[in-house]
Amino acid sequence: MTYKRILTIQDISCVGQCSTTVALPVLSALGHETCILPTMVLSTHTGGFGRPVVQRLDGRLLETAAHWRENGIFFDAILVGYLGSIPAVEAAGEILKTMLAPGGLAIVDPAMGDNGRLYAGFDGDYVAAVGRLCAQADILLPNRTEAELLGEKALAGRTLVLTGAVDSPGRTGILLRTREGERTYVHDRIGGGFHGTGDLFAAVFTGVLMQGKEAFDAARIAADFVKLCIENTVADPAHWYGVRFEPVLTKLAEMVK
């Protein structure tokens, strides 16, 4: 396995097992040097704890990237997740243009909605900004809601991994679309919805892909690992705010072999 340097650009929700607090341990466990660029710091995620304390970092993102360039620091892959504001989206786009090493991959999870609606605080202007960002990506990781919001113009011409693409009683799955065609992977649906599973999927997919696996294998492993984490959580109603991925993180390496 080749040792890769991966940057993830997304928020830090200090409590809640999502975004950076998922991506950092997962990418590291998969053997990669993992660097972070937080777009904001929240006391918790926004899914049920009440109004979090928020510190926005929009104005420091490009300054941070400039400091990296001064030191010759570039990245084999950049994984973009939840950004939270149009200035952060625009900064992420500039970083994708300037901070990838030759041959590096831009992987974008356009985290902005689910269950048929936008997340609170977002509007059409935000969707348009994310659409422009997606046009710079090599690989897109939307859920069904985000894919519908973005439309085919933003999705066309790049590898697409669509989560929640299969929706039938007791079953769910993913769809991979490349220039060679489409493939689906279907598995059992466990329990209801859980916070942070999209972030977990994106981190596992990116880490496995950067180990040299094909995109479909990376997506399949990511889906299976998320399912395993949900199985490890579903019997614990007190853990409603995320999935207990840490106790099964050691099994991820076995799943990749």
Side-chain angles (χ1 to χ4, degrees):
M1 184 188 76
T2 305
Y3 185 62
K4 300 293 186 180
R5 176 187 284 162
I6 301 174
L7 171 67
T8 183
I9 308 174
Q10 51 189 316
D11 71 283
I12 296 176
S13 290
C14 299
V15 171
Q17 292 171 304
C18 66
S19 57
T20 300
T21 60
V22 168
L24 180 55
V26 166
L27 291 169
S28 298
L30 287 167
H32 304 297
E33 178 186 352
T34 308
C35 307
I36 67 171
L37 183 58
T39 57
M40 63 177 75
V41 179
L42 301 91
S43 54
T44 66
H45 66 55
T46 58
F49 288 105
R51 187 173 182 177
V53 178
V54 179
Q55 177 64 51
R56 295 186 177 276
L57 302 173
D58 301 5
R60 298 296 186 183
L61 302 179
L62 294 180
E63 292 179 14
T64 301
H67 184 225
W68 289 337
R69 286 195 300 274
E70 291 171 2
N71 285 274
I73 298 170
F74 297 92
F75 304 97
D76 298 301
I78 298 177
L79 169 62
V80 180
Y82 181 89
L83 297 171
S85 71
I86 290 176
V89 174
E90 293 173 344
E94 186 64 24
I95 290 166
L96 290 182
K97 291 177 184 176
T98 58
M99 298 307 303
L100 281 167
L105 287 177
I107 302 170
V108 175
D109 175 4
M112 60 180 172
D114 203 359
N115 299 314
R117 61 179 186 270
L118 279 172
Y119 294 145
F122 293 162
D123 57 16
D125 290 339
Y126 189 84
V127 174
V130 171
R132 292 190 293 273
L133 177 68
C134 288
Q136 298 178 234
D138 298 300
I139 301 173
L140 291 174
L141 308 175
N143 60 35
R144 289 175 63 187
T145 297
E146 290 154 352
E148 291 169 2
L149 287 165
L150 289 166
E152 187 57 33
K153 182 178 180 181
L155 303 177
R158 48 200 41 84
T159 296
L160 175 71
V161 183
L162 181 64
T163 57
V166 177
D167 188 11
S168 60
R171 305 286 278 171
T172 187
I174 56 171
L175 179 144
L176 171 71
R177 187 179 74 188
T178 66
R179 290 171 180 162
E180 287 71 43
E182 295 184 353
R183 298 177 69 182
T184 58
Y185 179 66
V186 181
H187 59 82
D188 292 340
R189 182 190 298 276
I190 308 297
F194 288 85
H195 296 287
T197 52
D199 302 333
L200 183 60
F201 179 93
V204 175
F205 172 84
T206 299
V208 174
L209 185 74
M210 295 307 292
Q211 285 190 356
K213 298 286 188 182
E214 296 294 328
F216 183 78
D217 290 330
R220 174 184 54 80
I221 291 167
D224 285 345
F225 185 71
V226 171
K227 176 175 174 283
L228 176 64
C229 294
I230 293 173
E231 290 172 338
N232 190 53
T233 311
V234 70
D236 183 3
H239 207 94
W240 56 268
Y241 51 85
V243 290
R244 301 194 308 177
F245 71 93
E246 299 91 345
V248 295
L249 193 53
T250 55
K251 295 184 179 181
L252 182 55
E254 300 172 15
M255 297 171 70
V256 176
K257 291 180 181 178

